[in-house]
Amino acid sequence: MSAPEILERFGRRLRVGFVGGGAGSVIGRTHLLALRADGLAELVAGCLSSDPDRADASARALLLPPERSYPDWRTMIERERDRADGIDVAVIITPPLYHAEIAEGFLAAGMSVLCEKPMTATLAEAEALTKAVESSTGLFAVTHCYTGYPMVREARHLVRSGALGEIRLVEGQFAGGEPSLLREPGDPSTRHWRFRASAMGRASLLGEIGSHVHNIVEYVTGHRVTEVSAHLSTVAARREVYDNAYLTVGFGNGAAGRLWSSFVAAGAEHGLEFRIFGDDGSLHWRQDDPEYLWLLRPGRGMTRVSRGMATTSGFSQAATRIRPGHPEGYLMAFANIYRDCAHAVMRTRLGEDASRELAALPDVRDGLSTMRLLEAAVAAHESGRTVPVGG
Amino acid sequence: MSAPEILERFGRRLRVGFVGGGAGSVIGRTHLLALRADGLAELVAGCLSSDPDRADASARALLLPPERSYPDWRTMIERERDRADGIDVAVIITPPLYHAEIAEGFLAAGMSVLCEKPMTATLAEAEALTKAVESSTGLFAVTHCYTGYPMVREARHLVRSGALGEIRLVEGQFAGGEPSLLREPGDPSTRHWRFRASAMGRASLLGEIGSHVHNIVEYVTGHRVTEVSAHLSTVAARREVYDNAYLTVGFGNGAAGRLWSSFVAAGAEHGLEFRIFGDDGSLHWRQDDPEYLWLLRPGRGMTRVSRGMATTSGFSQAATRIRPGHPEGYLMAFANIYRDCAHAVMRTRLGEDASRELAALPDVRDGLSTMRLLEAAVAAHESGRTVPVGG
Amino acid sequence: MSAPEILERFGRRLRVGFVGGGAGSVIGRTHLLALRADGLAELVAGCLSSDPDRADASARALLLPPERSYPDWRTMIERERDRADGIDVAVIITPPLYHAEIAEGFLAAGMSVLCEKPMTATLAEAEALTKAVESSTGLFAVTHCYTGYPMVREARHLVRSGALGEIRLVEGQFAGGEPSLLREPGDPSTRHWRFRASAMGRASLLGEIGSHVHNIVEYVTGHRVTEVSAHLSTVAARREVYDNAYLTVGFGNGAAGRLWSSFVAAGAEHGLEFRIFGDDGSLHWRQDDPEYLWLLRPGRGMTRVSRGMATTSGFSQAATRIRPGHPEGYLMAFANIYRDCAHAVMRTRLGEDASRELAALPDVRDGLSTMRLLEAAVAAHESGRTVPVGG
Amino acid sequence: MSAPEILERFGRRLRVGFVGGGAGSVIGRTHLLALRADGLAELVAGCLSSDPDRADASARALLLPPERSYPDWRTMIERERDRADGIDVAVIITPPLYHAEIAEGFLAAGMSVLCEKPMTATLAEAEALTKAVESSTGLFAVTHCYTGYPMVREARHLVRSGALGEIRLVEGQFAGGEPSLLREPGDPSTRHWRFRASAMGRASLLGEIGSHVHNIVEYVTGHRVTEVSAHLSTVAARREVYDNAYLTVGFGNGAAGRLWSSFVAAGAEHGLEFRIFGDDGSLHWRQDDPEYLWLLRPGRGMTRVSRGMATTSGFSQAATRIRPGHPEGYLMAFANIYRDCAHAVMRTRLGEDASRELAALPDVRDGLSTMRLLEAAVAAHESGRTVPVGG
């Protein structure tokens, strides 16, 4: 059954509910666009804010039926579970402090869950959630949206198929410094959770963006980070959390690497990129120029890999929608997470094989791996030593 | 009334019908994505192919109600006009030979029309359609999708606000040569309309892509092309139309320029770009790196203009959805045409001012201007002389 | 005999004299650097300015012996011819009005000549000079310095060895607009010859930079321009010559192309580049990023060709001095003209084969070809017609 | 006295002798080109190889007088000191093991010294040499050639004049992986000193290229590295030294940073670059695109800084030779070291102020600083701890 046939066979769009992501939420708007793009799913319910008035206003702006705008996620689970047309998938867009509890609730009700990163606020929660996922029937994925880029997937294909030989060095960074990140807001009460030590400790930077850079290098290489040393620091005045993190890491296959996360790389608008070096060449990818992958092979020049090549893998072609030469951008990368998730849920219910989609999605084990790194990085920083990443 | 409030005030999504664009149509899939992205409109009816079986299969794949999948566009007009929930907007995605007739039909029924480029197959049709639009109550826009890019709009803002001084030189090109364009297909019966002389003569290249490059330089500069000399040629073996067009042009303000359209610029995946030079500097934009605009000012270096600048105009900011640093790509540019169109229709019905949206949309006068250029270019090529662009 | 051995075998440096190029001459300083770089030649005499005081001051600043600083080039020929240690090579760095006469004088005295571009001021002079060269024993080369770039030579190697298949389209441009070119100087008496109609007519732009762009595309492709249509115009206020030239051209093999020369491409610091398209791919080179050549092949991505490739030809490797990764720049490109010239003169005197060096140098036939184009372009502009390029 | 006048006032070229750098030495050829470029100096003597036959063959190929080709550097010092036309400057191009001893010898003879990097093989030698320089009358500079690039100097000017605000993060790397570095040669006896543990221990990588990256960030920022942690490793099979070094460092002003040196960044042809972040923006420079400096300021876009700007500092303009738009490349950067050195020696002898030239040249204190870092980095690696950089 080819991808375009799945919706017709399934006979309806997937029903989705959001927890969080209401009016004013940048990431909420992004999820909405990603959800809509392919016409495979529709938003039918939500608990769009912890503030009930804001939740209701958000629901009205989206033309949601009032009775499916819930004041809290527990009520949402109960009511949606009881409806014949209840949601298939819950999307968790709250701050990380609540992810574990909410995700376990929806999974226990038999629903699938798409969860924002970092997967949880603590390693202990991640371990518990992993068990919950493994004993549930629903699908669980983490929206590490950058893995949705076709060229990130092509990088994974190339690395894993041996195009670079054995992997030796891995450079990952998410080092930005746009104005809103670079300085603390005048009014501390308007701080995003990422700048509150109460959200996930002083190392929230590692959860907010360090999780992406860790995830993407593991996603592409297939190797787990197994040890870490760390230098964490705070640059911005009046900031209560770290805003720069230098990690030097080792990987399971013996490769070495560096992961850099920063909010104070002044002037960089985004800053996610990776470079992966093997015995026979290297690959470079930058999120601000995401349509291309740069392949360097000693003595053979540098090749710009794009979707428009006869050799492009099926794995990355499946993550595209339009012809080469038309940049697809971040929102379609994000939409690929939704599309893979929707197809995986539909295929599974139709009794079809969903292994391609599941292979492409960051799962609970990936989220757990990141939470292990975070804990180890803090320990490494505090001890001034290299620390193994538990597992 | 701010943009996010319009949908809630309007109380429902706009109802849209497609003529053409069914299964297998690349541009049809693109329209679907653009239509869905913002949740402002929904596809509720269609005459998705001139082949009725294909039309129905396409409708089923999209979960359209069977009774709203029409075998011909005339029936579609009749039935939709009679429904209480009939379509608000018709989108014309057929080859250009049929655009004029279909557009006039829907306009006459009081509906709005979004029409693919080139607007018509001939100048005479364009003139007639212009009159039809001007005497109708509906909105009419041409999907010159590249005008939806925020940085194209920023270029327009900068040029028109005098950042470059008087405009002197204008370079536009749409010169690609991906494998499917570079050579004629083995089986001539599988040719796209662009490669059939029967579709709009031997100069169909100018309609298919020359229309974009002409439109974008007029869109950005605000100056019409007023004279043209032309060198048209055919490179690919067994091709019955021109596949390379060099136009040297003059603009209403005295500027000179060149417009190059090609299917045989071997290796270029897309190839749309412009450079605009004034007395005080120049701007460069390329569709394959669309998030950035390059501003060069003599003695002041080159500045990469992006969405993340404090000086970015409201006109281009209104065409964005996510934070700077996250590439939005071609599909969101296309979606901007839909969003502006939806907001303009809704605002108009609500009695609100829609002038911002209307200013941003390529209209029937722009389409007419392009058809005038096409006719003049062919005359220029045939005479070996510079020819005025009628008006 | 390998290149490093030639100097030792020859036993001394070549003796060089300059006509023009004294203090204050930008191009004179450039020649000096190029001459010195490889230690193959030394400046021993000169008539460095038409102003004798300036000539002598220039000579003193260079530590030239006073008796070899000449007040006029005729005296220089006479005296140098009579010295046992007289110059081997004269370098002509005057405005073009004097090139033909001076070159013929040195050639007649048995010396070799390196001549700045444009080769002459008129086509008639170019024809006469061609005959003079062909009946002389000296070497004659035109300092089309950009042909000295290794990657321009690699482009020539690739094109001529068929890497792109048959050549179909050729885009060349030298379109700059730095502050000193963009506007007329306040004091017209300080104008460079390029801005004086008296120097070589109103189309001096074509001589000054149009000659480079014409030469480089013929150098790379091996095809002569055989027809031209032209649009010449003047943008800058108070300017008495054209400052923008759009040429549409045909080549001997049937390829079409465009050559653009401009001083009013505001903001571009230099602006020389070419793109060459064949049936199987294209090559792009820009002088502001000269270390790389971009090779695009449909369906095979874009490859950055550099010196560091196992496949780089001997023809371009011979034009390098240091390891890949260390940019060599414009001055070393210029020095390649000197090096090839010095090696060719030495090899010839030693009775060795100098064909590799001679093949790499723009010669009198190339200069003649450019003067033919210039004459035809002016005729084309004035007639509004396509004009054959005489030959 | 302006730069062009110095030579005329001095009345002759500086006389230079090389120790090392004979035939087959890549760096020797580079020094020769740099020495010749400006006509300020001439090579008149040498001890061009430790192998006397090779030394003599090298001298002959350069047309050196046979009596000034010396079999050992001690003889060279003696004889040149006794000649009326003896050398002014000795250039030391040997492996680092010999630098200190040779440099001290020439300095003691009253000559000036240009010394290749790393300045010495050990910290103890560096300390002794520093004392020798400080008690000598000659000039001493280290050929950290990359500091000769105009845009590196412009970066220094911008950083030191506060364009970025307080410096917070410093990223430097010299991570290449061209074929000759990536693997060990088949025959270990052909190894360059950089791959021999006997040359300067297992951390020779830090001397060979780590010295450049350390020097350049100190040169630009004006801040010394004061602490370091290190992860050194060996990737290539059969290699006896480290070929990858990750250093995490702190600077005197509190900034943090990372310095990466590698021979196994497979596919990178060169790999030197830096990014410097302050409170108000950042600067990025890459040696493979050295004509430009990228200045990013939050909310103000990215500006490509080049020589062609009205704001370019005199400090960097003094390091240029030709007009903006003509890339000057690595060899002219290297030549700037020679030019500054020649001008400084001449000015000093003429009793003029040489402070501008001296400020631009990496001196013995800079070389000492690098040797301190190297020793600390090895200690940090071995202890697994952060180590202060002595001083």
Side-chain angles (χ1 to χ4, degrees):
Chain A
M1 187 171 61
S2 76
E5 298 169 316
I6 302 174
L7 179 64
E8 187 177 351
R9 283 277 304 282
F10 197 70
R12 63 169 177 87
R13 295 191 166 81
L14 273 196
R15 292 185 287 259
V16 175
F18 278 8
V19 183
S25 162
V26 171
I27 191 67
R29 285 202 302 275
T30 304
H31 274 267
L32 271 169
L33 271 155
L35 176 154
R36 289 171 187 141
D38 295 295
L40 297 170
E42 56 190 329
L43 183 72
V44 297
C47 165
L48 297 173
S49 173
S50 52
D51 169 342
D53 290 345
R54 194 171 176 188
D56 284 345
S58 301
R60 280 196 307 275
L62 294 168
L63 307 184
L64 279 191
E67 73 278 11
R68 297 179 88 171
S69 171
Y70 300 100
D72 67 89
W73 57 269
R74 285 187 177 84
T75 308
M76 180 172 164
I77 292 176
E78 250 172 64
R79 302 264 178 87
E80 290 292 323
R81 190 181 44 197
D82 294 346
R83 294 179 70 109
D85 64 350
I87 60 171
D88 304 295
V89 180
V91 182
I92 304 176
I93 320 181
T94 68
L97 207 51
Y98 312 106
H99 287 184
E101 191 179 26
I102 302 173
E104 290 175 30
F106 281 94
L107 288 165
M111 296 159 187
S112 290
V113 171
L114 256 184
C115 181
E116 260 301 326
K117 39 50 54 180
M119 187 171 81
T120 58
T122 67
L123 175 55
E125 288 172 358
E127 286 168 341
L129 178 55
T130 302
K131 284 182 192 147
V133 169
E134 290 178 349
S135 63
S136 82
T137 59
L139 175 152
F140 179 90
V142 185
T143 52
H144 278 301
C145 47
Y146 304 106
T147 63
Y149 274 114
M151 284 303 108
V152 172
R153 294 187 176 188
E154 186 68 5
R156 169 175 159 141
H157 166 77
L158 287 168
V159 169
R160 296 197 180 191
S161 63
L164 306 184
E166 184 67 32
I167 299 306
R168 301 297 189 178
L169 300 172
V170 176
E171 296 285 310
Q173 60 190 59
F174 199 159
E178 51 153 320
S180 72
L181 301 175
L182 196 55
R183 317 246 195 252
E184 279 294 294
D187 173 3
S189 74
T190 65
R191 278 183 189 141
H192 187 274
W193 68 258
R194 72 172 76 93
F195 293 124
R196 298 173 187 269
S198 57
M200 46 184 303
R202 289 189 62 200
S204 54
L205 168 80
L206 291 173
E208 171 69 339
I209 60 171
S211 61
H212 276 309
V213 69
H214 172 259
N215 175 264
I216 208 165
V217 301
E218 289 199 346
Y219 186 83
V220 170
T221 64
H223 299 302
R224 296 286 185 206
V225 172
T226 53
E227 61 173 39
V228 61
S229 64
H231 178 281
L232 312 180
S233 59
T234 302
V235 168
R238 300 189 314 278
R239 184 159 283 171
E240 67 186 39
V241 295
Y242 299 121
D243 53 17
N244 192 77
Y246 288 141
L247 309 187
T248 305
V249 298
F251 289 82
N253 75 327
R258 303 187 303 171
L259 306 180
W260 176 28
S261 304
S262 189
F263 290 140
V264 290
E269 291 186 351
H270 189 274
L272 178 65
E273 63 179 270
F274 61 75
R275 295 173 75 192
I276 294 171
F277 302 84
D279 280 337
D280 302 329
S282 56
L283 277 171
H284 192 172
W285 180 84
R286 302 197 329 265
Q287 198 275 149
D288 64 2
D289 191 22
E291 287 284 306
Y292 304 113
L293 192 60
W294 302 88
L295 172 63
L296 292 87
R297 287 170 297 180
R300 297 174 66 189
M302 177 167 74
T303 298
R304 192 184 76 174
V305 176
S306 70
R307 295 188 284 123
M309 294 173 72
T311 52
T312 308
S313 70
F315 184 65
S316 60
Q317 289 291 18
T320 72
R321 287 166 185 78
I322 44 171
R323 283 192 299 195
H326 300 77
E328 296 188 307
Y330 170 78
L331 292 165
M332 291 306 109
F334 212 122
N336 283 333
I337 306 293
Y338 272 85
R339 189 165 68 169
D340 284 336
C341 180
H343 279 159
V345 170
M346 289 177 178
R347 280 191 195 273
T348 302
R349 296 222 191 138
L350 290 167
E352 299 262 352
D353 174 35
S355 57
R356 195 205 59 74
E357 287 85 358
L358 293 172
L361 288 166
D363 65 15
V364 74
R365 291 254 145 217
D366 297 317
L368 174 63
S369 178
T370 293
M371 296 312 297
R372 284 177 176 151
L373 173 78
L374 266 55
E375 191 175 82
V378 171
H381 173 68
E382 288 171 358
S383 68
R385 288 287 185 186
T386 299
V387 165
V389 177
Chain B
M1 186 171 62
S2 75
E5 297 168 317
I6 301 174
L7 178 64
E8 186 176 351
R9 283 276 305 282
F10 197 70
R12 62 167 177 89
R13 296 192 165 81
L14 273 196
R15 293 184 288 260
V16 176
F18 278 7
V19 184
S25 162
V26 170
I27 190 68
R29 284 202 302 274
T30 304
H31 274 266
L32 272 169
L33 270 155
L35 177 154
R36 290 171 186 142
D38 294 296
L40 297 169
E42 55 190 329
L43 183 73
V44 297
C47 164
L48 297 173
S49 172
S50 53
D51 169 343
D53 289 345
R54 194 171 174 187
D56 285 346
S58 301
R60 280 194 307 274
L62 294 167
L63 306 185
L64 279 191
E67 73 278 11
R68 296 180 89 171
S69 170
Y70 300 101
D72 67 274
W73 58 268
R74 286 189 177 84
T75 308
M76 180 172 163
I77 293 177
E78 249 171 65
R79 302 262 177 86
E80 290 293 321
R81 190 181 45 198
D82 293 346
R83 295 177 69 108
D85 64 350
I87 61 170
D88 303 295
V89 180
V91 182
I92 304 178
I93 319 180
T94 68
L97 206 51
Y98 313 105
H99 288 184
E101 191 179 24
I102 302 173
E104 290 175 30
F106 281 94
L107 288 165
M111 296 160 187
S112 290
V113 170
L114 255 183
C115 181
E116 261 301 326
K117 37 53 51 180
M119 187 172 80
T120 57
T122 68
L123 174 54
E125 289 171 356
E127 287 168 341
L129 178 56
T130 303
K131 285 182 192 146
V133 168
E134 290 178 350
S135 63
S136 81
T137 58
L139 174 152
F140 178 90
V142 185
T143 51
H144 278 301
C145 47
Y146 304 105
T147 64
Y149 273 114
M151 285 303 109
V152 171
R153 295 187 176 187
E154 186 68 6
R156 171 175 158 141
H157 166 77
L158 287 168
V159 169
R160 296 196 180 191
S161 63
L164 306 184
E166 184 67 31
I167 299 306
R168 301 298 189 178
L169 301 173
V170 176
E171 297 284 312
Q173 60 190 57
F174 199 160
E178 51 153 320
S180 73
L181 300 175
L182 196 55
R183 316 244 196 256
E184 279 294 294
D187 173 3
S189 73
T190 64
R191 278 182 188 142
H192 188 273
W193 69 259
R194 73 172 74 93
F195 293 125
R196 298 174 186 267
S198 57
M200 46 184 305
R202 289 190 62 202
S204 54
L205 169 80
L206 291 173
E208 170 71 338
I209 62 171
S211 60
H212 277 308
V213 70
H214 172 259
N215 175 264
I216 209 165
V217 301
E218 289 199 348
Y219 186 84
V220 170
T221 64
H223 300 302
R224 293 287 186 207
V225 172
T226 54
E227 61 173 40
V228 61
S229 65
H231 179 283
L232 312 180
S233 58
T234 303
V235 167
R238 302 188 314 277
R239 185 159 282 171
E240 68 186 40
V241 296
Y242 300 120
D243 54 17
N244 193 77
Y246 288 141
L247 309 187
T248 305
V249 298
F251 289 82
N253 75 327
R258 303 187 302 171
L259 306 181
W260 175 28
S261 305
S262 189
F263 289 140
V264 289
E269 290 186 351
H270 189 273
L272 178 66
E273 63 178 272
F274 61 74
R275 296 173 73 190
I276 294 171
F277 301 85
D279 279 339
D280 302 328
S282 54
L283 277 172
H284 193 173
W285 180 83
R286 302 195 330 263
Q287 199 275 150
D288 63 2
D289 191 23
E291 287 285 305
Y292 305 113
L293 193 59
W294 301 88
L295 171 63
L296 292 87
R297 287 170 297 180
R300 297 172 67 190
M302 178 167 74
T303 298
R304 191 184 75 173
V305 176
S306 69
R307 296 187 283 123
M309 295 174 70
T311 53
T312 308
S313 70
F315 185 65
S316 60
Q317 290 290 18
T320 71
R321 287 166 184 80
I322 45 170
R323 285 192 298 197
H326 301 78
E328 296 188 308
Y330 170 80
L331 293 165
M332 291 306 109
F334 211 121
N336 283 333
I337 306 293
Y338 271 86
R339 188 165 69 169
D340 284 336
C341 181
H343 279 160
V345 170
M346 290 177 177
R347 282 191 193 274
T348 302
R349 297 223 190 136
L350 291 166
E352 300 262 351
D353 175 35
S355 56
R356 195 204 60 74
E357 286 86 357
L358 293 172
L361 287 167
D363 66 15
V364 73
R365 291 253 145 218
D366 298 317
L368 174 63
S369 178
T370 293
M371 295 312 298
R372 283 177 176 149
L373 173 78
L374 265 54
E375 191 176 82
V378 171
H381 173 68
E382 287 171 358
S383 69
R385 288 285 186 187
T386 299
V387 165
V389 177
Chain C
M1 187 172 61
S2 77
E5 298 168 316
I6 302 174
L7 178 64
E8 187 177 351
R9 283 278 305 282
F10 197 69
R12 63 169 177 88
R13 295 192 166 80
L14 273 196
R15 293 184 287 259
V16 176
F18 278 7
V19 184
S25 162
V26 170
I27 190 67
R29 284 203 302 275
T30 305
H31 275 266
L32 272 170
L33 270 155
L35 177 154
R36 289 172 188 141
D38 295 296
L40 297 169
E42 55 190 329
L43 184 72
V44 297
C47 163
L48 296 173
S49 172
S50 51
D51 169 343
D53 289 346
R54 195 171 175 187
D56 285 345
S58 302
R60 280 195 307 275
L62 293 168
L63 308 183
L64 277 191
E67 73 278 11
R68 295 180 89 171
S69 171
Y70 300 101
D72 67 89
W73 57 269
R74 285 187 178 85
T75 308
M76 180 172 163
I77 292 177
E78 251 171 63
R79 302 262 177 87
E80 290 292 323
R81 190 182 43 198
D82 294 346
R83 294 179 70 108
D85 64 350
I87 60 170
D88 303 295
V89 179
V91 182
I92 304 176
I93 320 181
T94 68
L97 207 51
Y98 312 105
H99 288 184
E101 193 179 24
I102 301 173
E104 290 175 30
F106 281 95
L107 288 165
M111 295 158 187
S112 290
V113 171
L114 256 183
C115 181
E116 260 302 326
K117 37 51 53 181
M119 188 171 80
T120 58
T122 68
L123 175 54
E125 289 172 357
E127 286 168 341
L129 179 55
T130 303
K131 283 181 192 146
V133 169
E134 290 178 349
S135 63
S136 82
T137 58
L139 175 151
F140 178 90
V142 185
T143 51
H144 277 302
C145 47
Y146 304 106
T147 64
Y149 273 114
M151 285 302 110
V152 172
R153 295 187 175 187
E154 186 68 6
R156 169 175 159 142
H157 166 76
L158 287 168
V159 169
R160 297 196 179 190
S161 63
L164 305 184
E166 184 67 33
I167 299 306
R168 301 297 189 178
L169 301 172
V170 175
E171 296 284 311
Q173 60 191 57
F174 198 160
E178 50 154 320
S180 73
L181 301 175
L182 196 55
R183 316 247 196 255
E184 280 293 295
D187 174 2
S189 74
T190 65
R191 277 182 189 140
H192 188 273
W193 69 258
R194 71 172 76 93
F195 293 123
R196 298 173 187 267
S198 58
M200 43 184 306
R202 290 189 62 202
S204 54
L205 168 80
L206 291 173
E208 171 70 338
I209 61 171
S211 61
H212 275 310
V213 69
H214 172 260
N215 175 264
I216 208 166
V217 301
E218 289 199 346
Y219 185 84
V220 170
T221 65
H223 299 303
R224 294 286 185 208
V225 171
T226 52
E227 61 173 39
V228 61
S229 63
H231 179 282
L232 311 179
S233 59
T234 303
V235 167
R238 302 190 313 279
R239 184 159 282 172
E240 67 186 39
V241 295
Y242 300 121
D243 55 16
N244 192 77
Y246 287 142
L247 308 187
T248 306
V249 297
F251 289 82
N253 75 326
R258 304 188 302 171
L259 306 180
W260 176 28
S261 304
S262 189
F263 289 139
V264 290
E269 290 186 351
H270 189 273
L272 177 65
E273 63 179 90
F274 62 74
R275 294 173 75 190
I276 294 172
F277 302 85
D279 280 338
D280 302 328
S282 54
L283 277 172
H284 192 172
W285 180 83
R286 302 197 330 265
Q287 198 275 148
D288 63 2
D289 191 21
E291 287 284 306
Y292 304 114
L293 192 60
W294 301 88
L295 171 63
L296 293 87
R297 287 170 296 180
R300 297 173 67 188
M302 177 167 73
T303 298
R304 191 184 77 174
V305 176
S306 70
R307 295 187 284 123
M309 294 173 71
T311 52
T312 308
S313 70
F315 184 65
S316 60
Q317 289 291 18
T320 71
R321 286 166 185 79
I322 44 171
R323 284 192 298 195
H326 300 78
E328 296 188 306
Y330 169 78
L331 292 165
M332 292 305 110
F334 212 122
N336 283 333
I337 306 294
Y338 271 86
R339 190 166 66 170
D340 284 334
C341 180
H343 279 160
V345 170
M346 289 177 178
R347 280 192 195 272
T348 302
R349 297 221 190 138
L350 291 167
E352 300 260 351
D353 175 34
S355 57
R356 194 205 60 74
E357 287 85 357
L358 294 172
L361 288 166
D363 64 15
V364 74
R365 291 257 145 216
D366 298 317
L368 174 62
S369 178
T370 293
M371 295 313 297
R372 284 178 176 149
L373 173 79
L374 265 55
E375 191 175 82
V378 171
H381 173 68
E382 288 171 359
S383 68
R385 287 287 184 187
T386 299
V387 165
V389 177
Chain D
M1 186 171 60
S2 76
E5 298 168 316
I6 302 173
L7 178 64
E8 187 177 351
R9 283 277 305 283
F10 197 70
R12 63 168 177 88
R13 296 192 166 81
L14 274 195
R15 292 185 288 260
V16 176
F18 278 8
V19 183
S25 162
V26 170
I27 190 68
R29 283 202 303 274
T30 304
H31 273 266
L32 272 169
L33 270 155
L35 176 154
R36 290 171 187 141
D38 294 295
L40 297 170
E42 55 191 330
L43 183 72
V44 298
C47 163
L48 297 174
S49 172
S50 52
D51 169 343
D53 290 344
R54 196 170 175 187
D56 284 344
S58 301
R60 280 194 308 273
L62 294 167
L63 308 183
L64 278 191
E67 72 277 12
R68 295 179 88 172
S69 171
Y70 299 101
D72 67 273
W73 58 269
R74 286 188 177 86
T75 308
M76 181 173 163
I77 293 177
E78 248 171 67
R79 303 262 178 88
E80 289 293 322
R81 190 181 46 198
D82 294 345
R83 294 179 70 108
D85 64 349
I87 61 170
D88 303 294
V89 180
V91 182
I92 304 176
I93 320 180
T94 67
L97 205 52
Y98 313 104
H99 288 184
E101 191 179 24
I102 302 173
E104 290 175 30
F106 282 93
L107 289 165
M111 296 159 188
S112 291
V113 171
L114 255 183
C115 181
E116 261 301 327
K117 37 53 52 180
M119 188 172 80
T120 57
T122 68
L123 174 54
E125 289 171 356
E127 287 168 341
L129 178 56
T130 302
K131 284 182 194 148
V133 168
E134 290 178 350
S135 63
S136 81
T137 58
L139 174 152
F140 179 90
V142 185
T143 51
H144 278 301
C145 47
Y146 304 105
T147 64
Y149 273 114
M151 285 303 109
V152 171
R153 295 187 174 186
E154 186 68 6
R156 170 174 158 142
H157 166 77
L158 288 167
V159 169
R160 297 196 179 190
S161 63
L164 306 184
E166 184 67 32
I167 299 306
R168 301 298 190 177
L169 300 173
V170 176
E171 296 284 312
Q173 61 190 56
F174 199 159
E178 51 153 321
S180 72
L181 300 175
L182 197 54
R183 316 247 196 256
E184 279 293 294
D187 173 3
S189 74
T190 64
R191 278 182 188 142
H192 187 274
W193 69 259
R194 72 172 75 93
F195 293 124
R196 298 174 187 267
S198 57
M200 46 183 304
R202 289 190 62 202
S204 54
L205 169 80
L206 291 173
E208 170 70 339
I209 61 171
S211 61
H212 276 308
V213 70
H214 173 259
N215 176 264
I216 209 165
V217 301
E218 288 199 348
Y219 186 84
V220 170
T221 64
H223 299 303
R224 295 286 185 207
V225 171
T226 53
E227 61 173 38
V228 61
S229 64
H231 178 282
L232 311 180
S233 59
T234 303
V235 167
R238 301 190 313 278
R239 185 159 283 171
E240 67 186 38
V241 295
Y242 299 121
D243 54 17
N244 193 78
Y246 289 141
L247 309 187
T248 305
V249 298
F251 289 82
N253 77 325
R258 302 187 303 170
L259 306 180
W260 175 29
S261 305
S262 189
F263 290 139
V264 289
E269 290 186 350
H270 189 273
L272 178 66
E273 63 179 272
F274 61 75
R275 297 173 74 190
I276 295 172
F277 302 84
D279 279 339
D280 302 329
S282 54
L283 278 171
H284 193 171
W285 180 83
R286 302 197 328 265
Q287 200 274 149
D288 63 2
D289 191 23
E291 287 285 304
Y292 304 114
L293 193 59
W294 301 89
L295 171 63
L296 291 86
R297 286 170 298 180
R300 298 173 67 189
M302 178 167 74
T303 297
R304 191 184 75 174
V305 176
S306 69
R307 294 187 284 124
M309 296 174 70
T311 52
T312 307
S313 70
F315 184 65
S316 59
Q317 290 290 18
T320 72
R321 286 166 185 79
I322 45 170
R323 283 193 299 197
H326 301 77
E328 296 188 307
Y330 170 79
L331 292 165
M332 291 306 109
F334 211 121
N336 283 333
I337 306 293
Y338 271 86
R339 188 165 69 170
D340 284 337
C341 181
H343 279 159
V345 170
M346 290 178 178
R347 282 191 193 273
T348 302
R349 298 225 189 135
L350 291 166
E352 300 261 351
D353 174 35
S355 57
R356 195 204 61 73
E357 286 85 357
L358 293 172
L361 287 167
D363 65 15
V364 73
R365 291 254 146 219
D366 298 318
L368 174 63
S369 179
T370 293
M371 296 312 298
R372 283 177 177 150
L373 173 77
L374 266 55
E375 190 175 84
V378 171
H381 172 68
E382 287 171 358
S383 69
R385 288 286 185 188
T386 299
V387 165
V389 176

